[in-house]
């Protein structure tokens, strides 16, 4: 609790979509919310939604790929609010291209935003949460963090990576009272599709000699169908906030039944309890 008796949440990527709605929903449920975004001149949609909900947010600038800025941001939140109880690693971006169409720099960009960004912020908040003996770190991954999908090689690779990092960390932090988990949306209506990177390269999508053109066209048509029935950002944000504030601590959440069913294609452990149950015993310390 901060000086106002409220837990403090830090949310990334709040200029649009799920991050915007999750920031407002967390404030509606009584948390002090630090809502971050790359460009605060684009905060109008967020501040309008907050005003409509009758809540106030502390809006700050943060590009999650700028690790010095992340350090300054976390230090600033601790200085001003005294603590961070909930970190929602929401910022992320897709890339539609298959391996041959991706340069290593484009793959690295996907890792920077979807993997290293959340990992670096997690490392920055962990000491504060561990010393407090409590805290929640929730990372918005994707069904693509469990199920590889065509033309999402770099995106799914980065989302798988962040899930592996968080699952390994989760079992260690349990003993310190810090809950580390991921939440996997399926198709959600947001700015995501518009913001997706469409890398060029040797076999640029859409080029006349593109050997993948037919497959990409089929994929994009299928994807458009999925997004026509997408979950709303505000619905998905409620699921994110429910997971962040839940007293039922599990590693893996999905934002919808459809997302759970899809993740079930790859996983027999859709809530993560089997893996955490198995690895927990490996690091049990005997009481002194
Ligand atoms: N929509 C879907 O179907 C879907 C499905 C599964 C998972 N997800 C995941 O859900 C999360 C939220 O996405 P969304 O659907 O709400 O899409 P969105 O509307 O595009 O929101 C993504 C947010 O991330 C921000 N962002 C991107 N790069 C950033 C950076 N380097 N530093 C800080 N912020 C950055 C964007 O800010 P700018 O305005 O500055 O670009 C935006 O606010 C992402 O992690 C995404 O991968 C989305």
């Amino acid at each position: 609790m901060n000086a106002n008796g409220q837990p403090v949440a830090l949310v990334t990527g709040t200029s649009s979509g799920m991050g915007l709605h999750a920031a407002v929903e967390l404030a509606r449920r009584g948390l002090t919310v630090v809502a971050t975004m790359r460009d605060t001149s684009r905060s109008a949609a967020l501040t309008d939604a907050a005003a409509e909900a009758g809540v106030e947010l502390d809006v700050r600038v943060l590009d999650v790929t700028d690790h010095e800025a992340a350090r300054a941001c976390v230090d600033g939140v601790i200085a001003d609010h005294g603590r961070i109880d909930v970190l929602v690693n929401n910022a992320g971006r897709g890339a539609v291209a298959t391996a041959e169409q991706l340069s290593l720099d484009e793959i690295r960009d996907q890792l920077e935003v979807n993997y290293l960004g959340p990992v670096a912020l997690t490392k920055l908040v962990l000491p504060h949460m561990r010393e407090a003996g409590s805290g929640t770190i929730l990372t918005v991954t994707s069904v693509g963090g469990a199920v590889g999908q065509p033309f999402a090689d770099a995106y799914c690779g980065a989302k798988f990576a962040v899930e592996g990092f968080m699952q390994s960390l989760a079992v260690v932090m349990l003993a310190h009272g810090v809950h580390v988990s991921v939440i996997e949306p399926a198709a959600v209506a947001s700015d995501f599709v518009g913001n997706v990177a469409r890398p060029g390269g040797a076999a640029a999508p859409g080029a006349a000699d593109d050997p993948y053109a037919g497959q990409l066209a089929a994929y994009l048509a299928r994807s458009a169908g999925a997004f026509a029935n997408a979950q709303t950002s505000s619905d998905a944000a409620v699921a994110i906030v429910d997971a962040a504030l839940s007293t039922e601590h599990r590693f893996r959440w999905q934002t919808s039944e459809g997302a759970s069913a899809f993740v079930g294609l790859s996983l027999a452990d859709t809530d993560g309890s089997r893996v955490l149950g198995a690895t927990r015993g490996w690091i049990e310390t005997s009481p002194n």
Side-chain angles (χ1 to χ4, degrees), residues 102-120:
L102 288 159
S103 68
L104 284 180
D105 280 344
E106 287 155 350
I107 295 169
R108 204 170 283 120
D109 283 350
Q110 282 293 298
L111 287 169
E112 285 287 349
V113 65
N114 293 309
Y115 176 68
L116 279 176
V119 162

Side-chain angles (χ1 to χ4, degrees), residues 8-14 33-38 40 58-84 87-89 120-121 124-125 128:
V8 178
L10 173 62
V11 187
T12 65
T14 63
V33 177
V34 180
T36 64
M37 62 183 68
R38 286 197 285 195
T40 48
D58 177 352
V59 180
R60 299 190 183 200
V61 69
L62 178 60
D63 179 331
V64 299
T65 66
D66 181 342
H67 304 308
E68 281 313 308
R71 179 176 298 281
C73 177
V74 168
D75 288 351
V77 175
I78 295 292
D80 296 343
H81 295 287
R83 54 190 299 126
I84 298 172
L87 168 64
V88 180
N89 282 315
L121 262 181
L124 288 166
V125 302
H128 301 287

